Amino acid sequence: MRQAALSMTRPHERPPLETLLARAAETASQIGPEFLAHAQKLDDLRRRFCGGRFHLAVLGQFKCGKSTLLNALTGDPVLPVGVVPLTAAPTFIQYGQSRAVRVIYRDGCPPDEFSGTGVDERRAWKPRT
Ligand SMILES: Nc1nc2c(ncn2[C@@H]2O[C@H](COP(=O)(O)OP(=O)(O)OP(=O)(O)O)[C@@H](O)[C@H]2O)c(=O)[nH]1
Ligand SMILES: [Mg+2]
């Protein structure tokens, strides 16, 4: 019934997507315990939507030019480029107020951070191994 009511409304009269996702998560959590995982996924989706970000994944074989392409798109040589394998770990680029590099370790060790601004300085920096 609610679905029929929604489809009858004009787009500008519909509740925002954030509200719809919150309602869907709440409804799923009330149906029964077997739907709690779905409720959680819907809530995760709502939080990601509210974050106002999207992820663009760039995947490809070794040395096919991924970093060169991303440096061209960002207009800043943030990623190392070369003929030997370089960007071997999953690397995320996101906007920040200032330039910084953060290395996150899988074993739970505290992250290493570097906040120098120069390209040469940044390239010379070595995280703890
Ligand atoms: N001729 C040519 N060379 C390119 C092009 N794009 C990248 N290269 C060169 O190809 C080499 C590899 O480029 P990268 O951007 O480091 O490749 P990658 O896919 O990021 O490599 P990994 O992260 O190590 O897997 C570098 O020497 C680049 O200068 C292109 O369009 N044409
Ligand atoms: Mg690379």
Side-chain angles (χ1 to χ4, degrees):
M1 203 61 173
R2 172 169 280 176
Q3 189 180 4
L6 280 177
S7 65
M8 296 291 285
T9 57
R10 281 177 239 154
H12 66 276
E13 293 170 345
R14 288 181 193 151
L17 184 58
E18 178 189 351
T19 307
L20 293 175
L21 287 167
R23 278 190 207 158
E26 192 186 337
T27 304
S29 69
Q30 290 167 352
I31 296 174
E34 67 271 34
F35 287 92
L36 283 179
H38 297 290
Q40 186 61 52
K41 278 186 189 165
L42 284 162
D43 197 50
D44 289 346
L45 198 57
R46 182 191 61 75
R47 272 189 278 114
R48 279 180 59 191
F49 176 74
C50 292
R53 289 186 189 157
F54 75 96
H55 287 123
L56 173 66
V58 177
L59 308 170
Q61 293 180 331
F62 288 124
K63 310 315 322 163
C64 67
K66 303 178 294 294
S67 297
T68 304
L69 172 68
L70 286 170
N71 287 344
L73 287 174
T74 57
D76 188 7
V78 289
L79 296 171
V81 167
V83 290
V84 293
L86 287 170
T87 332
T91 305
F92 298 84
I93 305 171
Q94 67 183 63
Y95 175 78
Q97 292 295 323
S98 59
R99 288 183 183 159
V101 176
R102 181 180 300 130
V103 180
I104 299 167
Y105 298 96
R106 283 188 186 171
D107 62 7
C109 285
D112 274 332
E113 295 205 11
F114 170 78
S115 55
T117 52
V119 172
D120 292 337
E121 199 185 351
R122 195 163 64 214
R123 285 188 177 150
W125 178 70
K126 297 271 182 274
R128 142 180 77 81
T129 50

